[in-house]
Amino acid sequence: MVKVLLASLIIFLVLAAWVMVERLYAAFAARHPELGPFRRNDGGCSCGSGSCERR
């Protein structure tokens, strides 16, 4: 039972760390636009004034 709880805790902590890194990256990219385009998570990209042509 302890192994199941520990595994669940580890998975939760890894996912929480992933979310935190994503937020830190977005904040850094917003503060430093000169370093390149920010890659959005909604499937789009930021090339061409915020929109890309889809083929």
Side-chain angles (χ1 to χ4, degrees):
M1 183 67 178
V2 173
K3 287 183 181 181
V4 172
L5 293 174
L6 185 61
S8 298
L9 180 64
I10 290 172
I11 291 171
F12 174 77
L13 290 176
V14 168
L15 290 175
W18 184 359
V19 169
M20 183 59 78
V21 168
E22 289 287 328
R23 287 185 179 185
L24 289 172
Y25 169 69
F28 180 83
R31 285 192 313 268
H32 302 283
E34 69 276 5
L35 297 177
F38 172 64
R39 296 182 188 161
R40 300 184 317 209
N41 287 334
D42 63 358
C45 66
S46 59
C47 62
S49 299
S51 63
C52 293
E53 295 179 18
R54 303 232 176 174
R55 296 180 186 168

